[in-house]
Amino acid sequence: MAKKVIVGDIWKQKGFKVVSTNLGGVHGRGLAAQAKQQGKITRFNKSFATSPKNSDVITLAVKGNAPETARINVGGKPQAYSEQTSGKNVELLKSEVKQLIQFARKNPTKNINLPFVGLGFGEGKPDEILPILREAEKEPNIHLISKDEATVKRYQSTFRTGVRSDKSKVSSISKNMPMNFSYGDQGLP
């Protein structure tokens, strides 16, 4: 099977753009912030089931599903779920990607552009996340997207360093996030 990794700006690709989100609906960084700034998603678009209608965007929840996790409120405003207490994010991602695969099978003529969700800001471990993405990539119309340096520069404000609601610092771009990624980099078939 040919590897289908496209390097570049997801917003310039034809077809659906998959945007990773959190169940808190915050959309403060990365693709979620970009989609929010472009008016493509709102705080109500936080999972596959709540993806915007009549849009080229599909939202995929990648964090914030653990039953012990409460939404953290700061000054009465809901903030992101705490990644340090969200132990079920991998299961959440598996469930969301399964729905994406079902959608792809029902829409075989539509291209679906899937970034390396779950690896962006230090949340996921490649050995847990990449097998899930490889399952999705088996579908002929799902293509993995890896951002390039020009894309990072273009959207630099959305890749800024931040502090999560649980007060842990987050780097601007995770070492886990593939950039100009090739499967050989990870020793994957």
Side-chain angles (χ1 to χ4, degrees):
M1 170 179 63
K3 308 281 187 288
K4 301 176 297 183
V5 177
I6 299 168
V7 178
D9 186 342
I10 193 170
W11 302 112
K12 294 183 178 184
Q13 306 306 315
K14 291 182 182 179
F16 289 100
K17 288 89 171 140
V18 177
V19 174
S20 59
T21 59
N22 60 64
L23 292 175
V26 176
H27 313 325
R29 298 187 332 148
L31 280 176
Q34 293 165 31
K36 184 178 170 183
Q37 289 169 1
Q38 295 175 34
K40 293 181 177 280
I41 65 172
T42 70
R43 66 185 177 98
F44 301 107
N45 307 121
K46 41 190 157 181
S47 67
F48 183 85
T50 61
S51 291
K53 305 295 181 222
N54 303 315
S55 172
D56 66 345
V57 170
I58 297 171
T59 51
L60 221 62
V62 299
K63 58 185 168 184
N65 197 43
E68 72 276 8
T69 304
R71 246 167 58 173
I72 298 168
N73 286 290
V74 177
K77 292 184 177 181
Q79 301 295 311
Y81 288 78
S82 168
E83 287 83 8
Q84 291 182 344
T85 59
S86 295
K88 300 221 180 259
N89 290 341
V90 173
E91 289 83 4
L92 173 63
L93 179 60
K94 283 180 186 176
S95 173
E96 291 282 287
V97 169
K98 183 178 178 182
Q99 291 177 73
L100 181 67
I101 289 169
Q102 290 170 351
F103 177 81
R105 289 176 180 166
K106 289 179 184 174
N107 298 279
T109 62
K110 303 288 185 184
N111 282 338
I112 299 169
N113 299 290
L114 176 64
F116 286 85
V117 296
L119 295 172
F121 294 100
E123 287 92 6
K125 297 177 184 171
D127 61 331
E128 294 176 340
I129 304 296
L130 290 174
I132 300 167
L133 299 179
R134 280 189 288 172
E135 280 302 307
E137 187 194 26
K138 290 178 184 177
E139 299 304 315
N141 56 336
I142 295 179
H143 306 275
L144 293 175
I145 304 290
S146 178
K147 63 187 173 290
D148 58 7
E149 292 290 341
T151 301
V152 171
K153 187 174 181 178
R154 186 175 304 114
Y155 303 107
Q156 65 186 342
S157 68
T158 65
F159 295 117
R160 71 190 180 284
T161 301
V163 178
R164 296 184 177 130
S165 55
D166 64 7
K167 307 295 185 224
S168 62
K169 281 201 167 208
V170 189
S171 64
S172 57
I173 298 177
S174 169
K175 293 177 280 191
N176 295 341
M177 184 59 153
M179 192 172 311
N180 296 324
F181 178 82
S182 77
Y183 280 97
D185 294 342
Q186 298 292 323
L188 301 171

